[in-house]
Amino acid sequence: EAKRTGRGRAHEYSNELRADIETRHALFSEIGTAIDRDEFEAWMQPQVCAGTLRLAGCEVLVRWNHPTRGIVPPAIFLAAAEQAGLLRAIDMMMLSKGLDQLEDLRAAGIDLPKISVNASPATLHDPHLPERLIQEISSRHLSPQDLVVEVLESTLIESEDDMAARTIARIADAGIAVSLDDFGTGYASMSTLSQLTLSGIKLDQSLISPVPQPRAESIISALVTMSRSLGMTVVAEGIETEEQLELVAGMGCDTVQGYLIGKPMRAVDFHAWALNCHEETAGRRA
Ligand code: C2E
Ligand code: MG
Ligand code: MG
Ligand code: MG
């Protein structure tokens, strides 16, 4: 009986997997057209100060608004975009849309301090990236402090030369913050960390378990202490419960991001969320 259930599950799974491969294959061939048709949207997930819960920024996350499939999350198409050599184009589009949305939200009276964008390995290996970032900022009368570039820990390890490190240094020289994303999941050594001009780290969700775990807590607090002494800020990702919020706030994380605060949403919904958040924060403080 158990065996049959098991085999049934395996059968179901292989069908799902096949459908998934087909989906990915179909999507692969559609990415170029989708870029031309402007189907990629820049959704925004709020980040708030761990102590005050005031709006600290937002992360720009790509969503494919597919004409027949609906909203497709990045996990389904990022690898295909990378293989097609189109991930850099998507990153640049998210940068441009994100900055437009930042300007629009500010014009509408939302005090959004900055936006964070994700940089893929291909993006980080573009030698002109620093100039492109500066150009996007200055053409909008924004300032370097309005932007954070998130780089994956794995990008740094995979790059053989010190190209990525040099690009990061040039971005930092321009006054734009560079943050190490998914920290704790890769293998960045302490020496890598000390050599890079990083402004902060983002603690991966996997470090922050839904239930308190003494050993994980020790690791988080050691990472916070290390970041502090290197002059870096710490963002805790994937905060889903009040307990997690209290835990990371108590450990000295500066900023939190997660479903408890707000899910990724379109700019128009972010606008409404920010208005509501302002009232709630004011209410909590009162
Ligand atoms: P990431 O940069 O680490 O982004 C955080 C991811 O965690 C997002 O997934 C977000 O929706 C999710 N998340 C946030 N809070 C919670 C929470 O409380 N619980 C749970 N379970 N998840 C949470 P998303 O949007 O699906 O993006 C996945 C990854 O795709 C991102 O991870 C990033 O590596 C990549 N990505 C997204 N947008 C872009 C982009 O424009 N360019 C590049 N190169 N990569 C992107
Ligand atoms: Mg990120
Ligand atoms: Mg992350
Ligand atoms: Mg991630």
Side-chain angles (χ1 to χ4, degrees), residues 71-274:
I71 300 297
V72 185
I76 307 295
F77 65 85
L78 278 189
E82 189 160 39
Q83 279 164 33
L86 293 172
L87 190 47
R88 199 168 69 94
I90 292 175
D91 283 351
M92 289 301 113
M93 211 183 302
M94 291 306 112
L95 169 70
S96 164
K97 289 189 180 202
L99 291 174
D100 281 347
Q101 288 167 192
L102 171 64
E103 274 198 316
D104 290 349
L105 285 162
R106 282 183 182 170
I110 304 298
D111 183 18
L112 177 59
K114 55 188 188 292
I115 64 160
S116 298
V117 296
N118 292 285
S120 66
T123 299
L124 201 65
H125 281 88
D126 169 11
H128 303 296
L129 179 64
E131 289 75 28
R132 289 190 213 281
L133 297 175
I134 294 161
Q135 167 65 26
E136 291 285 339
I137 288 168
S138 51
S139 67
R140 288 181 179 81
H141 307 288
L142 292 170
S143 71
Q145 298 92 271
D146 293 328
L147 183 64
V148 179
V149 177
E150 297 188 5
V151 176
L152 287 170
E153 205 181 3
S154 55
T155 306
L156 305 171
I157 292 121
E158 282 158 20
S159 68
E160 285 148 33
D161 46 29
D162 63 348
M163 168 89 172
R166 276 183 289 138
T167 304
I168 288 172
R170 284 167 56 219
I171 295 171
D173 280 347
I176 298 167
V178 182
S179 184
L180 200 54
D181 203 354
D182 293 1
F183 190 80
T185 60
Y187 304 92
S189 67
M190 296 301 136
S191 88
T192 311
L193 270 188
S194 68
Q195 283 159 29
L196 294 170
T197 42
L198 296 168
S199 70
I201 58 170
K202 293 188 81 177
L203 293 181
D204 193 70
Q205 186 178 11
S206 60
L207 287 174
I208 302 147
S209 161
V211 285
Q213 289 188 337
R215 295 177 69 85
E217 287 177 30
S218 305
I219 290 172
I220 296 170
S221 71
L223 291 176
V224 170
T225 305
M226 178 202 70
S227 306
R228 281 272 171 287
S229 59
L230 289 171
M232 300 193 293
T233 58
V234 181
V235 179
E237 280 193 289
I239 300 300
E240 294 179 350
T241 68
E242 292 282 352
E243 290 74 26
Q244 290 174 324
L245 174 61
E246 265 171 44
L247 179 82
V248 298
M251 285 178 167
C253 289
D254 305 274
T255 310
V256 293
Q257 177 182 344
Y259 294 168
L260 177 71
I261 315 299
K263 288 195 170 183
M265 51 195 130
R266 288 195 168 101
V268 59
D269 298 319
F270 187 90
H271 183 185
W273 177 91

Side-chain angles (χ1 to χ4, degrees), residues 11-24:
H11 183 68
E12 244 172 54
Y13 178 67
S14 71
N15 273 345
E16 260 171 44
L17 194 66
R18 207 172 307 134
D20 213 33
I21 289 166
E22 277 161 22
T23 305
R24 278 163 214 257

